[in-house]
Each structure stands twice: as C-alpha cells, then as structure tokens.
C-alpha cells in the first residue's frame, strides 16, 4: 500500500510541476482534456471534490487517544448520512469517503512518526501504535480546509462544492469537532458560500445547519465568533433573512450576541458583532422581529457605552485598528435613530449628543472621515426629533466649523450632504445677526470666511443631481435647505460689513479682523448660486 501510494504521490507531484510550468498554481492543477465537467474554471473539479472528501470528520478511533473507546455515534451517523447522499451522485465524481480518509492516514504515516507509542503519549493513555498525532491530522485537515475556504469565494467553485455535499461535511464537523480552528475554517467556508445569494437557500435547506451555526455564537474563541458574526451578517442580507431572524430570536441567543459586543476586548470581534447588530437594524423585516427584544435587553445603552469608550480611546491615543469600530458603532446608533418606535431612546440621551458633538468638533478628521460623516447624519436625525436643540447648538461655533469641515468628506454621499446642510441651516436660522453683539458676529463671520473654499468647492462640485433639480419650468433650482443656508450666510456677511464700517469709523475693529477678500469671495459665491 505504501509503495503504491508513494508512486501515486510522485505522479501527482509531476502533474503539479507541469501545472506550474503552464503558469497555473501548483495547488490548482488544470483539468485534463477528457474531464467530464463542463465548468468555466481553471481548477480541476475532481480536485475540489477530493478536498471535500478529505474534510469528512474521522472516526473516533483516529481523533481520540482515549483507550477503550468504540467510536462516536454522532460521527458515524453524520458520515453515514453523507455517504448515503454521495451514493446517489455520479461515481466518476464522488468516491467512497472512507477510502479517501484512509489515503490521508497513509500519507501521514509515510511522513510522520506515530503519535502514540506503546499506548503512552506524554503520560496519557495512547490510542495504539501506528496512528497519527491528533495535531498532525488537524494540520492536514486545516490545509485542505483553507484551500476550500479560498475557492469558495468564486461562485462557480462554491456551486460545485454545494453540489457535492460540502454543507453536509461542514455540518458534521461543526457537530463533532472539538477544534476551534476546524470550526473557524468551517464557518469561513460557509461565509464565503453565503456571499453568493443563490446558495444561501441551500444552507437553509440543509437540516440542522442553521442551529449548528447559531450554536457557534456560544464558543469562547475570538476567531470563530468573528466568522460566525460575518456569516450571519451575510445571511441576514439575503432573501432567506426571515429564517435567520427566527433562528436568532430566542432570548438566550440575542443576549449572547449583545453580551459579545459589550464585553469583547478584541477590536475585530467588536466590529463584527456590532456589524451584525447593524445589519439587523438596517433590514426592516428582520428589525421588526428582533429589534423589540433587543431594546428590552438594553441594546441602546450598550451602544452608548461602546461609543463613550471608543471616544475616550480616540482622544487619548491613536489606534488605527479602532477607527472601523468607531464607525460601525455610530452607524448602528444612526440606524436606531430612524426607527419609528425607538428613536426617542437616541434623541433623549444628552450624553450621546455630547459625544457626537465632540466628534464633529475634533480638529483632525481625515483618518476618521467616515465616522464624522455618520455623526453628522446622526445629529441631523436627532435635531429633527428635538426641536429645541438647534437654538442651543447655534451658540456653539466650533460645532458649526466642524460641520463645514465635514463637507468634503460627504462629497459622494447625497444623503449625508443633505443632512449636513440641514443642520447648517438650522444653526444659521437661530443666529440673529441684527441682535448679537459685534464680538459674537465677528466670531461667526470668522468661521464662515475661513471655510469659504470648502463651501464654494462643495457648491461647484454638485451643481447637478445632489443639489439642483433639473427639468422644472424655471430652469434649475437649488434644494430649499441649501438656498436658505446661502441666504442666511449672505445676511450675516452683509450685517458684518455694515457693522465693520461703523466700527472702523470709531476705531473699534482692531481686535476683530477678518480677511475682507474672503468675506467678499464667500458673499459673491453665495449670491451667484442663489441666482442660478
């Protein structure tokens, strides 16, 4: 057996070498000319099928070193079920999995020494002579699994894998394997399969797979939890979203999900878990099922606390890996702020409003540009609910300056830009230029003049769809909130110019100097766009 196997391995190595000479990856050998499969892929389908067979969970004899064990019934039943399904497929495409696993065992035996000698391994009971180390077996499994993980990113390959019972094989591993690495790879493959919406129905129809995947949320391994959250986020965005919502509905499952987000110290897992919550909130059908119990569990407060922590991290130290976390938390809060029955949980939280304002006012926004845009949209939603907030915020000129700083970052987001201008006009409406003192008016004009280029560039870059409506009988029309904002800026600048002239006559403007050329430039820009 070993001699024949070495010969077969040598032939396989020669095939791989020929594949390399033909500029094809050695581990992705080209399909032979007489291949029966008619698929648009450079990967031999039989190679993919062989990898699937190699992922079949071994019998208890192979993966346990416990003496006197007859075998695991659940493993046998899983393997038997898969073999029964395989028996219905073309024999040229699927061969007996037990023979394939035996081949894997022989490969290990030819390259590694036995893990168990005379019934003892490191002082523990052995599993007999001649059997591989569990770690070695897992390494072989891991190598095959990682190849399938990558291949599943292609829909053609993923369809072939599903057609050849990869879902049943993954279910068997999730059910019986005690290895977190094996579970992570299974979830990773499933996540890539779920990227192809046409295959999600196959996942749903595989009996027991939904429950097995949801059960992975109760693991304590960070990487497994990341992959579980990634998969569920993808699944909820597909046509089968209601099925997954119902799977997540049990109280202990939702509490576990919120607990993970609240307690993890790993930035990636925090991003993935909150990302899953965000996906739930953004899907109206799913949110109608899961949002009420999530609110009862205390989701809003959890999100507020997470935002407070990320803001403290942001102001105390520079940590690039936390920036995506900040953004996904803000997006989740923003999604919650537009829900009809629960928006008051956001708009009534003064601490949250303070945190959002602090983010908008940060001087260096380039690295957190997305978060700042999300914060502006969130603030626009809050101001729509809290009518008495705008008069208070209009006195906070650094906040107005921060909003103007965000304009360039929202250049390609119509919704965000509209939100920004809606806040700006709300603030400017409450600045009574004829009633405030010279010093206060100077501060306001200084902010506006210093952002003259940003305002002009924003208007210039978006003369079409985002701001201007075409096809009306009057030609072009700038959107109302922008028109009103520009009118308010013009009024403030005219008042400043009048008061400044009087102040100069009385020698009162020495400490209140604003570049007159910027004021004139901004004034001209606003007047020109109003006349559009």
């Amino acid at each position: 057996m070993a001699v024949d196997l070495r010969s077969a391995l040598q032939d396989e190595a020669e095939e791989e070498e020929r594949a390399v000479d033909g500029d094809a990856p050695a581990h992705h050998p080209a399909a032979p000319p007489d291949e029966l499969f008619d698929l648009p892929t450079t990967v031999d389908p039989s190679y993919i099928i062989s990898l699937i067979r190699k992922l079949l969970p071994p019998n208890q004899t192979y993966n346990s070193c416990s003496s006197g064990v007859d075998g695991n019934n659940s493993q046998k039943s899983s393997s038997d079920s898969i073999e029964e399904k395989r028996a219905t497929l073309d024999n040229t495409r699927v061969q007996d999995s037990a023979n394939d696993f035996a081949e894997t065992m022989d490969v290990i035996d030819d390259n590694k020494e036995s893990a168990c000698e005379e019934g003892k391994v490191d002082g523990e009971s052995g599993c007999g002579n001649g059997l591989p180390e569990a770690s070695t077996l897992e390494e072989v499994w891991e190598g095959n699994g990682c190849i399938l993980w990558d291949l599943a990113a292609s829909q053609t390959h993923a369809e072939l894998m599903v057609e050849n019972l990869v879902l049943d094989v993954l279910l068997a591993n999730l059910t019986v394997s005690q290895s977190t690495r094996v579970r992570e790879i299974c979830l990773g493959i499933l996540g890539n399969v779920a990227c192809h919406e046409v295959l999600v129905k196959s996942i749903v129809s595989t009996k027991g797979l939904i429950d097995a995947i949801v059960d992975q949320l109760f693991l304590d391994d960070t990487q497994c939890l990341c992959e579980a959250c990634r998969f569920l986020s993808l699944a909820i965005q597909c046509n089968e979203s209601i099925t997954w919502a119902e799977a997540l509905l049990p109280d202990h499952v939702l509490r576990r999900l919120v607990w993970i987000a609240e307690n993890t110290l790993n930035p990636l897992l925090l991003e993935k878990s909150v990302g899953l919550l965000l996906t739930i909130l953004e899907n109206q059908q799913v949110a109608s099922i899961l949002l009420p119990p999530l609110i009862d569990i205390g989701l809003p407060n959890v999100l507020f606390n997470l935002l407070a922590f990320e803001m403290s991290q942001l102001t105390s130290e520079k940590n690039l890996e936390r920036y995506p976390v900040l953004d996904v938390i803000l997006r989740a809060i923003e999604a919650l702020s537009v829900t009809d029955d629960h928006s008051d949980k956001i708009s009534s939280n003064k601490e949250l409003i303070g945190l959002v304002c602090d983010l908008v006012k940060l001087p260096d926004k380039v690295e957190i540009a997305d978060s700042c845009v999300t914060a502006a949209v969130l603030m626009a939603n809050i101001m729509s609910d809290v009518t008495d907030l705008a008069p208070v915020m209009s006195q906070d000129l650094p906040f107005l300056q921060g909003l103007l700083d965000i304009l360039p970052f929202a250049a390609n987001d119509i919704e965000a830009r509209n939100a920004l201008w809606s806040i700006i006009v709300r603030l400017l409406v409450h600045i009574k230029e004829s009633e405030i003192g010279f010093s206060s008016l100077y501060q306001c004009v200084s902010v506006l003049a210093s952002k003259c280029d940003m305002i002009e560039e924003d208007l210039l870059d978006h003369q079409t769809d985002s701001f201007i409506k075409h096809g009306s009988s009057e030609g072009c029309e700038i959107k109302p909130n922008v028109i009103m904002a520009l009118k308010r800026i013009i009024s403030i600048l005219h008042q400043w110019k009048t008061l400044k002239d009087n102040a100069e006559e009385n020698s009162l403007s020495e400490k209140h100097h604003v570049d007159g050329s910027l004021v004139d430039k901004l004034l001209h820009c606003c007047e020109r766009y109003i006349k559009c």
Side-chain angles (χ1 to χ4, degrees):
M1 173 81 177
V3 174
D4 294 338
L5 179 60
R6 289 192 182 93
S7 177
L9 290 174
Q10 184 176 1
D11 292 341
E12 182 178 346
E14 291 175 355
E15 279 188 20
E16 293 184 354
E17 185 176 352
R18 287 195 296 271
V20 172
D21 293 339
D23 295 330
H27 59 290
H28 293 171
D34 59 342
E35 179 56 59
L36 296 176
F37 298 98
D38 184 18
L39 293 172
T41 174
T42 58
V43 181
D44 188 341
S46 63
Y47 173 69
I48 295 178
I49 296 171
S50 72
L51 290 174
I52 296 173
R53 295 200 306 268
K54 291 174 183 177
L55 294 195
L56 279 168
N59 292 331
Q60 186 73 25
T61 307
Y62 288 108
N63 70 357
S64 173
C65 286
S66 302
S67 58
V69 178
D70 295 328
N72 187 290
N73 292 331
S74 64
Q75 291 181 11
K76 290 181 179 179
S77 61
S78 298
S79 297
D80 290 343
S81 175
I82 296 171
E83 290 305 324
E84 288 174 4
K85 292 184 180 181
R86 287 192 174 281
T88 64
L89 297 177
D90 190 340
N91 289 331
T92 63
R93 301 175 63 183
V94 183
Q95 300 176 6
D96 181 63
S97 59
N99 291 337
D100 186 76
F101 180 70
E103 179 183 337
T104 304
M105 293 294 96
D106 289 335
V107 172
I108 297 171
D109 288 338
D110 285 340
N111 292 278
K112 299 288 183 178
E113 294 182 358
S114 172
C116 306
E117 296 181 4
E118 303 297 332
K120 294 290 182 178
V121 178
D122 296 332
E124 297 182 0
S125 297
C127 57
N129 294 329
L131 295 179
E133 292 184 10
S135 60
T136 303
L137 178 59
E138 185 174 328
E139 288 174 5
V140 173
W141 193 101
E142 178 181 335
N144 296 325
C146 285
I147 295 173
L148 283 177
W149 189 345
D150 291 337
L151 291 176
S154 162
Q155 182 169 330
T156 299
H157 298 149
E159 288 176 348
L160 177 64
M161 290 161 61
V162 171
E163 193 177 308
N164 286 276
L165 307 180
V166 72
L167 299 180
D168 297 271
V169 174
L170 297 176
L171 171 60
N173 280 283
L174 289 175
T175 302
V176 304
S177 177
Q178 300 300 311
S179 166
T180 55
R181 179 58 175 160
V182 167
R183 289 171 179 261
E184 177 197 351
I185 293 172
C186 289
L187 291 168
I189 297 172
L190 286 167
N192 280 1
V193 171
C195 289
H196 317 297
E197 189 168 346
V198 295
L199 298 178
V200 175
K201 190 172 183 179
S202 299
I203 297 175
V204 171
S205 61
T206 301
K207 185 178 180 180
L209 187 53
I210 292 178
D211 291 337
I213 293 171
V214 172
D215 285 345
Q216 307 311 305
L217 291 174
F218 293 88
L219 296 174
D220 291 326
D221 181 76
T222 298
Q223 298 303 319
C224 287
L225 291 174
C226 284
E227 290 303 321
C229 290
R230 181 177 81 96
F231 170 85
L232 291 169
S233 295
L234 291 166
I236 287 175
Q237 298 176 59
C238 296
N239 293 331
E240 305 291 332
S241 59
I242 298 301
T243 301
W244 293 101
E246 292 172 348
L248 294 173
L249 184 57
D251 183 72
H252 70 286
V253 176
L254 290 180
R255 288 185 180 277
R256 172 65 177 181
L257 177 57
V258 174
W259 184 90
I260 292 170
E262 186 177 18
N263 291 278
T264 182
L265 299 177
N266 183 279
L268 181 59
L269 178 54
L270 180 55
E271 179 186 351
K272 296 298 183 182
S273 57
V274 178
L276 174 53
L277 293 169
L278 171 62
T279 305
I280 291 171
L281 295 172
E282 290 181 334
N283 187 312
Q284 293 184 355
Q285 289 183 314
V286 174
S288 65
I289 298 172
L290 298 181
L291 186 53
L294 284 172
I295 295 294
D296 292 339
I297 292 172
L299 176 61
N301 288 332
V302 170
L303 294 175
F304 300 157
N305 293 336
L306 291 175
L307 178 60
F309 177 78
E310 293 304 321
M311 284 297 296
S312 68
Q313 294 292 106
L314 183 64
T315 55
S316 63
E317 59 179 313
K318 184 176 182 179
N319 191 343
L320 296 179
E321 67 178 357
R322 304 206 72 91
Y323 293 164
V325 176
L326 174 64
D327 185 51
V328 74
I329 293 172
L330 281 166
R331 289 171 59 198
I333 297 175
E334 189 271 323
L336 197 57
S337 71
V338 296
T339 56
D340 294 334
D341 298 329
H342 308 292
S343 60
D344 60 310
K345 301 285 194 308
I346 305 298
S347 57
S348 63
N349 192 302
K350 294 182 178 180
E351 181 182 357
L352 169 65
I353 295 173
L355 290 171
V356 175
C357 290
D358 289 342
L359 180 58
V360 170
K361 290 189 285 188
L362 284 176
D364 187 6
K365 297 182 174 68
V366 176
E367 292 178 332
I368 53 169
D370 291 341
S371 296
C372 291
V373 172
T374 305
V377 175
L378 173 57
M379 183 56 71
N381 296 340
I382 293 174
M383 283 190 170
S384 297
D385 289 343
V386 186
T387 56
D388 59 349
L389 181 59
V392 176
M393 298 305 302
S394 66
Q395 301 176 31
D396 190 348
L397 292 178
F399 179 69
L400 173 61
Q401 180 174 340
L403 292 173
L404 295 172
D405 284 335
I406 297 173
L407 277 175
F409 304 137
N412 298 316
D413 190 332
I414 295 176
E415 179 186 356
R417 186 179 304 103
N418 290 338
L420 274 167
W421 280 104
S422 71
I423 303 175
I424 292 171
V425 72
R426 286 174 186 272
L427 300 181
L428 294 178
V429 162
H430 291 283
I431 296 177
K432 307 299 183 181
E433 64 274 10
S434 61
E435 300 176 7
I436 61 178
F438 184 79
S439 178
S440 298
L441 184 60
Y442 157 75
Q443 294 175 9
C444 179
V445 172
S446 296
V447 169
L448 294 173
S450 67
K451 305 304 174 185
C452 173
D453 291 340
M454 291 184 177
I455 296 173
E456 182 178 29
E457 182 180 354
D458 188 79
L459 295 175
L460 181 64
D461 288 346
H462 304 92
Q463 296 182 46
T464 55
D465 298 334
S466 62
F467 278 142
I468 300 176
K469 303 174 183 178
H470 293 282
S472 66
S473 59
E474 299 178 358
C476 62
E477 179 185 358
I478 301 180
K479 290 188 176 180
N481 59 348
V482 183
I483 280 280
M484 186 175 294
L486 297 182
K487 286 182 175 180
R488 291 298 305 131
I489 292 174
I490 291 172
S491 179
I492 292 171
L493 295 181
H494 276 308
Q495 179 69 12
W496 164 252
K497 289 173 71 71
T498 300
L499 291 181
K500 183 176 179 296
D501 292 340
N502 294 333
E504 286 179 348
E505 292 177 2
N506 299 314
S507 302
L508 296 176
S509 63
E510 295 181 0
K511 296 181 180 180
H512 301 90
H513 175 71
V514 179
D515 190 334
S517 63
L518 290 178
V519 173
D520 292 337
K521 181 180 178 181
L522 179 57
L523 190 58
H524 175 71
C525 173
C526 294
E527 290 175 340
R528 175 159 51 93
Y529 279 93
I530 285 181
K531 294 177 182 178
C532 174

